Amino acid sequence: MADDGFDFGGGDAGASATFPMQCSALRKNGFVMIKSRPCKIVEMSTSKTGKHGHAKVHLVALDIFTGKKLEDICPSTHNMEVPNVKRKDYQLIGLDDDFLSLMDDSGDTRDDLKCPDGDIGDEIRTAIAEEKDILCTVLSAVGEECVIATKVNTAVDK
């Protein structure tokens, strides 16, 4: 009876990937879900209430993972989903067939993130070639993760 094949050994706190927020409460540089993509708001404007009584909010946002520009218009009284975005710094250990080997503050390692394309990927490859010690900033939201920035590790215990 006690062992019915359920595994309660691990799990998260049950925090949702997104939460609702009223459109009028959104701010520039905040996050919002547009077309089910997590985005950072770069521009927003509110129109006056019209004949039918709803002020509308026009949002222009950039996808936080792809950098693609997305737009949306919604009534200011309606709710929009806001992604729970977490950022964490990892120390770069190495690169193994395009997958990064990263270590967090507590010493746990992970090898499941792909090396990004573009400038950040080039910075990482250069740092590994020159054996520099760098930190990678990893952004995670709605089940996706991506390295969005690198910086030279200044807190090295040498």
Side-chain angles (χ1 to χ4, degrees):
M1 176 71 195
D3 188 28
D4 286 334
F6 295 112
D7 178 22
F8 296 110
D12 56 18
S16 170
T18 62
F19 61 93
M21 185 186 263
Q22 195 168 341
C23 227
S24 55
L26 296 169
R27 293 285 166 256
K28 192 174 169 180
N29 293 332
F31 297 104
V32 69
M33 295 291 284
I34 297 179
K35 296 183 179 104
S36 9
R37 299 289 305 156
C39 301
K40 184 175 187 157
I41 301 167
V42 287
E43 198 182 311
M44 65 186 290
S45 56
T46 311
S47 66
K48 284 200 177 85
T49 54
K51 189 162 64 171
H52 299 292
H54 276 294
K56 290 201 169 31
V57 178
H58 178 234
L59 298 168
V60 179
L62 297 174
D63 189 309
I64 59 177
F65 296 122
T66 64
K68 215 166 104 184
K69 190 177 189 178
L70 296 163
E71 292 188 52
D72 200 5
I73 295 175
C74 83
S76 61
T77 53
H78 285 207
N79 282 349
M80 284 195 81
E81 292 295 317
V82 177
N84 281 319
V85 179
K86 288 202 275 295
R87 56 190 313 147
K88 192 168 181 182
D89 284 342
Y90 289 94
Q91 187 176 342
L92 182 66
I93 305 169
L95 182 66
D96 187 28
D97 34 85
D98 230 24
F99 281 91
L100 302 173
S101 186
L102 302 165
M103 181 173 70
D104 67 3
D105 304 335
S106 57
D108 296 327
T109 58
R110 54 181 299 184
D111 309 301
D112 57 345
L113 279 176
K114 212 166 176 45
C115 187
D117 300 326
D119 297 342
I120 295 165
D122 296 340
E123 281 177 37
I124 291 170
R125 288 182 185 91
T126 307
I128 286 176
E130 296 171 7
E131 295 187 8
K132 277 191 193 146
D133 202 7
I134 63 168
L135 289 174
C136 295
T137 305
V138 175
L139 210 61
S140 60
V142 293
E144 266 186 77
E145 289 185 303
C146 181
V147 178
I148 52 141
T150 60
K151 59 184 179 220
V152 178
N153 192 357
T154 51
V156 180
D157 306 332
K158 287 190 176 170

